[in-house]
Amino acid sequence: GDSVTQMEGPVTLSEEAFLTINCTYTATGYPSLFWYVQYPGEGLQLLLKATKADDKGSNKGFEATYRKETTSFHLEKGSVQVSDSAVYFCALSLNTGGFKTIFGAGTRLFVKA
Amino acid sequence: DAGVIQSPRHEVTEMGQEVTLRCKPISGHDYLFWYRQTMMRGLELLIYFNNNVPIDDSGMPEDRFSAKMPNASFSTLKIQPSEPRDSAVYFCASSSYRGLVREQYFGPGTRLTVT
């Protein structure tokens, strides 16, 4: 079945460090891919998205590239800040048949000053 | 745009009591989703609606849970009777089909504690 697998957390980094959170997916067809972020006490919010192979989504210094050949959508940021501490969810949405979004388990990020 | 609105933000109730969670989706959105989030199970989809009609309720845990969407601007999730294992954060999200991109907009959640 369709699924999303992301690296387990927590991930702990110092401020200004480079961030990578790995995400791979299994899907029939050609999904749209997303990264959502959840700050403490809040709901999930869309961070970035990509709809087809080789698309790069970017927002707030975060980037992810839709890699069809490796079925991956890794999240990266060159220099993290304390304010980036949150839980990050990788997700996919199939473009045919149904409307469910499938979320990964989430990766908690702690950034130390 | 006000975003997705949920009420109450916090609910504490005793086991056996009825609990009703409320959601107002973003105006113009025609899909509405109810999720439950716990540390043990993560984020679980309970049910979703399209144009006020339930499409998939396979995630609803058991008959104690029910959801309704009487109109495009309001939905409820009811638990009767509630049990301590229902303690979780419940999120409502809405979306609209625009082309091929189906991003969801989440509300702030309702934190439910059943004692």
Side-chain angles (χ1 to χ4, degrees), chain A residues 40-62:
Chain A
E42 298 183 11
L44 281 70
Q45 55 185 273
L46 182 68
L47 179 60
L48 53 83
K49 62 191 177 191
T51 59
K52 60 183 188 296
D54 300 325
D55 266 2
K56 177 184 285 188
S58 61
N59 185 26
K60 299 180 181 179
F62 291 89

Side-chain angles (χ1 to χ4, degrees), chain A residues 45-104:
Chain A
Q45 55 185 273
L46 182 68
L47 179 60
L48 53 83
K49 62 191 177 191
T51 59
K52 60 183 188 296
D54 300 325
D55 266 2
K56 177 184 285 188
S58 61
N59 185 26
K60 299 180 181 179
F62 291 89
E63 294 183 340
T65 301
Y66 190 141
R67 301 287 188 197
K68 190 169 182 299
E69 64 276 13
T70 54
T71 62
S72 65
F73 193 55
H74 305 321
L75 182 68
E76 296 182 336
K77 186 175 186 183
S79 176
V80 294
Q81 305 300 311
V82 172
S83 57
D84 294 327
S85 297
V87 181
Y88 293 82
F89 292 87
C90 185
L92 69 82
S93 178
L94 295 165
N95 299 325
T96 58
F99 202 120
K100 282 197 283 192
T101 294
I102 297 170
F103 288 88

